Amino acid sequence: MSIAATETRRTPRPRADALRNRERIVSAAREMFVEFGPEVPLDEIARRAGVGNATLYRHFPDRAVLVRDVVISVMSRTTEQADAAAAEEADPFAALRRFVHAAADERIGALCPMLSGAFDHDHPDLHAGRQHLEEAVRGLVEAAQSAGRMRTDVAVGDLMVALSQLTRPLPGTACPNMDRFVHRHLQLFLDGLEAPARSELPGAAATLEDLRTTS
């Protein structure tokens, strides 16, 4: 038997209950970051996840690691929504529309305050997650534009900026039931993306490279 095979056999796999606990913690953290912001007490996250503080810290030794994993989880789930829309919708603009509303339900706007936090922004899993999401959204935009269904004077960056702004929650505010307006306002935005364009846009289209240089 090779050394690699021996090492593989010696490396214990995470137990199923440990994996479930980790998933519950990430899910609870995602919900509470949306509701209260990324500085919510970790013991409150543990309580919502139904685990003890020791279990939370065993999986996530500090807040930065937990925030990073939540960001990666949101990006992964949003990428899955983009891929599903592209595969299942015959009309490329319908696919884009479906993705935008699904991304709102994933609360992708909550990533903005989390991404400004102090964690490892160069982590390979974070880079991979961002790349996969950008490629999936770029594919939706390019397909809709190639089919003549989407105006061509906008770029992927425009879509991501608007999506982020229109779906960003207001944690800890006294504004009640603001979420009920999100999909309504997203649909107004989507109507403005359809071709033929009804107006001339000022400035230049925002690319993903523009967003990276200003973040």
Side-chain angles (χ1 to χ4, degrees):
M1 182 180 295
S2 67
I3 295 177
T6 302
E7 289 299 323
T8 300
R9 291 186 60 185
R10 289 177 180 173
T11 302
R13 293 183 177 180
R15 297 185 326 188
D17 58 342
L19 291 175
R20 285 193 296 270
N21 283 340
R22 186 181 184 90
E23 291 171 358
R24 282 201 293 264
I25 293 167
V26 170
S27 178
R30 173 175 165 269
E31 293 173 0
M32 298 196 76
F33 289 163
V34 167
E35 294 174 24
F36 305 108
E39 298 304 318
V40 64
L42 296 184
D43 59 344
E44 293 295 330
I45 293 174
R47 185 176 295 111
R48 179 171 294 195
V51 302
N53 288 357
T55 298
L56 185 148
Y57 283 105
R58 187 160 54 247
H59 289 282
F60 304 100
D62 56 42
R63 182 183 301 276
V65 176
L66 177 56
V67 170
R68 185 194 70 213
D69 272 36
V70 170
V71 170
I72 292 171
S73 173
V74 172
M75 287 195 297
S76 175
R77 289 163 58 104
T78 307
T79 302
E80 290 174 1
Q81 296 286 359
D83 290 341
E88 297 169 11
E89 299 291 341
D91 175 11
F93 195 85
L96 183 71
R97 182 189 303 117
R98 169 175 159 177
F99 161 73
V100 167
H101 286 290
D105 289 335
E106 293 295 341
R107 311 306 294 270
I108 193 172
L111 288 179
C112 292
M114 285 190 278
L115 287 171
S116 63
F119 64 93
D120 182 9
H121 290 76
D122 295 321
H123 192 280
D125 289 346
L126 191 64
H127 274 296
R130 180 184 290 115
Q131 181 178 357
H132 293 157
L133 176 58
E134 290 178 354
E135 290 174 352
V137 178
R138 182 184 287 111
L140 289 172
V141 169
E142 290 178 350
Q145 290 177 330
S146 296
R149 294 281 286 113
M150 179 177 175
R151 58 191 299 166
T152 57
D153 56 349
V154 295
V156 183
D158 292 307
L159 177 67
M160 298 306 288
V161 167
L163 185 56
S164 171
Q165 291 176 339
L166 291 172
T167 64
R168 186 179 302 189
L170 302 171
T173 68
C175 300
N177 301 321
M178 295 298 287
D179 285 354
R180 62 196 170 109
F181 300 115
V182 169
H183 290 286
R184 177 182 177 86
H185 294 163
L186 282 174
Q187 190 56 51
L188 287 170
F189 164 67
L190 285 163
D191 286 348
L193 291 182
E194 282 197 82
R198 293 173 175 81
S199 62
E200 183 176 346
L201 295 177
T207 66
L208 292 172
E209 289 71 24
D210 292 331
L211 300 188
R212 281 192 281 269
T213 57
T214 57
S215 59

